[in-house]
Amino acid sequence: MLKLLFLSTPVGPLGSGMGGGVELTLLNLAQEMGRRGHRVKVVAPENSVVSEVSCQEISGTWQDTIQNNHRDAPIVLPKNSVLGNMWDYAGRVEKDYDLIINFAFDWLPFYLTPFFTTPIAHLISMGSTTDAFDEVMNRVAKQYPNTMGVHTHAQGQTFPFNDICRVLGNGLNLSLYNYCDSPDNCLAWVGRIAPEKALEDAIEASKIVNIPLKIFGKVTDEKYWQTIRQNYPDGSYQYEGFFNTIELQEKLGRCKALLMTPRWIEAFGNVAVEALACGVPVIAYSRGGPAEIVQHEKTGFLVEPDSISGLVDGINRVDTIDRKQCRQQAEKEYSLQALGERFEGWFYELVKQE
Ligand code: UDP
């Protein structure tokens, strides 16, 4: 039995959607490690929604999201930083744990790593963003090999320490996702509403094929969302809102396909696997995580990145995909049990190395 301390993302509480996929990843892993008999404690910003696992809530100012920072952006920590406060707490209790797992894509946890006596596993949730982050991560990677976990090969390749990244994939609690065989005449787009996700491409494609687009997700960049609404005032798309997993899967399952239009190298793309779990084919740009998930012409289509006509072709051929194959792929490759096995193996190696 391992005693594990999970340090969450500092960009918002768990359940808020501010953290994107890392929120679901953390909750799934915490639940699965608990199921395997390990003791898990989660440390997360105040007002986090966490069930079945013990959570220490920490107050303080959230970190800004950094997905669109320039390469030379400096390190920023606000006054009364929740990130700083969470790691203060970790420093006080570290002796009670075998392993700390860092889910924050930020500078401070890497910088602090040599000052802790309990080993720290870093689960990196994005591709490379700034030179300052790369520098500190690279330092930790060299000093503590095997502590850098990523979700996909494409994500690892964005970092200077790619050769020592541990590629861990991701997984879902598939029992929460119902297979839906008969979709309505609509398309889905799911994710944080922010520039790196290029929602506008999905809107353009759905207009061309004249199939309504349903949008699910948290608006994390209000200015970007307002620009979209100004540029596309005609109502060919519908913003449905941000939902919990149970509601999301129910609505997503009724769509003909999921469109994934990442402009950046998506680290993984939880929403791809969530769609597959509901039997929904995925039409995605062939870059980053989705390109390692979607089986072209079997569980969706991988199309030329940034090509709207590629998306349109995929939508026009979507009826050739057998929705059962989508669910089967999710079951075969993305179960929580399989994920738990991989992570448990990694955690034991790190604890033994000490
Ligand atoms: N999501 C959600 N409710 C919604 C829409 C999205 O909980 O209404 C979650 C979804 O389950 C997924 C996350 O938002 O876990 C998006 O993660 P993804 O890995 O696709 O991208 P990221 O935001 O990490 O770049």
Side-chain angles (χ1 to χ4, degrees):
M1 195 267 289
L2 292 172
K3 288 172 277 176
L4 305 169
L5 189 65
F6 280 21
L7 273 284
S8 187
T9 168
V11 301
L14 288 167
S16 69
M18 290 302 293
V22 70
E23 295 183 27
L24 187 67
T25 303
L26 182 150
L27 293 169
N28 280 338
L29 260 185
Q31 194 191 36
E32 175 63 13
M33 287 300 139
R35 197 187 64 80
R36 285 168 177 264
H38 304 295
R39 206 180 82 202
V40 181
K41 172 108 173 200
V42 175
V43 183
E46 214 164 33
N47 299 320
S48 283
V49 182
V50 180
S51 59
E52 294 175 45
V53 188
S54 147
C55 179
Q56 176 68 47
E57 297 193 33
I58 304 281
S59 64
T61 307
W62 304 343
Q63 289 296 105
D64 278 338
T65 50
I66 45 98
Q67 283 88 354
N68 294 298
N69 277 2
H70 293 292
R71 292 287 329 166
D72 55 1
I75 312 301
V76 177
L77 280 166
K79 190 176 160 203
N80 187 29
S81 148
V82 74
L83 177 63
N85 295 347
M86 281 162 57
W87 282 85
D88 268 349
Y89 173 84
R92 286 199 299 278
V93 301
E94 65 162 326
K95 294 217 159 43
D96 302 336
Y97 294 89
D98 301 312
L99 183 68
I100 295 171
I101 295 91
N102 167 40
F103 290 82
F105 188 93
D106 213 314
W107 184 83
L108 188 68
F110 293 92
Y111 176 77
L112 288 176
T113 299
F115 299 97
F116 276 71
T117 50
T118 301
I120 302 178
H122 297 278
L123 182 59
I124 305 172
S125 57
M126 275 187 241
S128 167
T129 54
T130 73
D131 293 343
F133 281 18
D134 272 14
E135 182 187 53
V136 75
M137 287 189 203
N138 205 22
R139 210 156 67 209
V140 173
K142 297 249 153 66
Q143 202 175 342
Y144 306 95
N146 203 20
T147 65
M148 312 295 269
V150 294
H151 293 291
T152 56
H153 296 281
Q155 180 199 0
Q157 279 155 16
T158 67
F159 294 110
F161 48 89
N162 173 40
D163 53 327
I164 50 167
C165 283
R166 180 101 171 200
V167 182
L168 294 150
N170 214 343
L172 291 178
N173 181 352
L174 291 166
S175 69
L176 300 179
Y177 297 81
N178 295 317
Y179 171 68
C180 174
D181 206 23
S182 43
D184 302 334
N185 187 38
C186 61
L187 298 164
W189 187 94
V190 187
R192 286 176 299 106
I193 298 180
E196 67 275 14
K197 300 285 187 174
L199 168 59
E200 62 275 17
D201 290 14
I203 294 176
E204 297 260 3
S206 66
K207 272 174 71 161
I208 293 170
V209 294
N210 198 22
I211 301 177
L213 179 70
K214 293 190 172 182
I215 300 166
F216 305 93
K218 179 88 176 175
V219 177
T220 55
D221 188 325
E222 189 58 49
K223 215 168 111 203
Y224 170 71
W225 176 228
Q226 289 315 327
T227 309
I228 289 212
R229 290 174 48 131
Q230 276 157 20
N231 292 348
Y232 303 96
D234 63 349
S236 59
Y237 59 95
Q238 173 74 35
Y239 177 59
E240 302 283 321
F242 175 74
F243 299 96
N244 65 31
T245 298
I246 303 293
E247 293 168 328
L248 176 65
Q249 64 83 29
E250 208 263 324
K251 293 171 194 293
L252 174 58
R254 292 210 302 264
C255 298
K256 272 170 92 79
L258 172 75
L259 303 184
M260 282 188 84
T261 48
R263 206 67 92 205
W264 70 343
I265 303 222
E266 187 91 44
F268 184 77
N270 280 353
V271 300
V273 180
E274 294 184 273
L276 295 177
C278 301
V280 177
V282 180
I283 300 167
Y285 287 156
S286 184
R287 71 154 61 102
E292 290 176 35
I293 299 170
V294 178
Q295 294 175 353
H296 184 62
E297 296 183 335
K298 192 168 168 205
T299 60
F301 297 97
L302 290 168
V303 309
E304 190 193 324
D306 309 319
S307 162
I308 310 246
S309 62
L311 294 173
V312 168
D313 285 347
I315 298 166
N316 286 334
R317 293 168 65 200
V318 81
D319 289 338
T320 62
I321 303 285
D322 176 1
R323 290 171 74 95
K324 280 193 208 70
Q325 299 255 24
C326 298
R327 171 76 194 188
Q328 276 163 14
Q329 189 196 350
E331 284 174 2
K332 204 162 148 238
E333 298 176 18
Y334 299 105
S335 73
L336 210 46
Q337 287 80 352
L339 183 79
E341 202 109 313
R342 290 196 294 276
F343 272 83
E344 195 177 55
W346 185 40
F347 292 165
Y348 272 120
E349 279 176 37
L350 295 179
V351 170
K352 273 200 207 109
Q353 265 173 18
E354 279 305 292

